[in-house]
Amino acid sequence: MDHHPADQFRDHVKPFLISKMEEFCLLGYDKITDEELWTFLKAKKWKKIEGLKVHQIAADILSVKVTDFMNFTTIEAYKNGNTFDRKDAQRLLKDLI
């Protein structure tokens, strides 16, 4: 994604990103990176917002629900063709046998 107005605040809100990732980890989602979370926020929360303020960015980060993030990730995987299909399952089973 191109440069986004929120990118200028990323270093300032890094502790909030880390806190949210720790929360997701406690819920069993331990493979989420700060880059994935930031991409979600830019695509969903800050899609059409100009003139963002750092306190709004921090509040948006802390308000992310794991279900919203996972729904977004799933849809993006389908859009990009990164799905687990029948051939993948057959390869996996073959490797297990």
Side-chain angles (χ1 to χ4, degrees):
M1 193 175 259
D2 294 337
H3 182 73
H4 189 279
D7 288 335
Q8 65 182 328
F9 299 114
R10 185 162 178 179
D11 289 337
H12 298 296
V13 297
K14 183 83 170 175
F16 296 97
L17 289 168
I18 291 169
S19 176
K20 184 51 71 169
M21 289 185 312
E22 288 173 350
E23 177 187 326
F24 284 2
C25 188
L26 288 173
L27 296 171
Y29 299 93
D30 56 348
K31 303 239 189 274
I32 297 170
T33 67
D34 64 331
E35 185 62 39
E36 292 169 329
L37 183 55
W38 192 255
T39 300
F40 164 77
L41 288 161
K42 289 194 301 184
K44 287 302 198 183
K45 293 276 189 179
W46 309 321
K47 195 183 237 181
K48 299 178 182 176
I49 297 178
E50 294 294 323
L52 284 169
K53 304 226 183 317
V54 71
H55 71 277
Q56 293 168 315
I57 293 171
D60 286 342
I61 292 168
L62 294 177
S63 71
V64 173
K65 295 179 180 147
V66 73
T67 54
D68 294 337
F69 176 80
M70 294 308 294
N71 287 339
F72 171 79
T73 303
T74 302
I75 291 168
E76 289 301 306
Y78 281 120
K79 283 183 188 176
N80 296 326
N82 298 333
T83 58
F84 188 82
D85 62 12
R86 186 181 187 129
K87 289 180 184 178
D88 292 329
Q90 288 172 340
R91 280 189 289 248
L92 181 61
L93 287 172
K94 183 178 178 183
D95 291 342
L96 292 174
I97 296 176

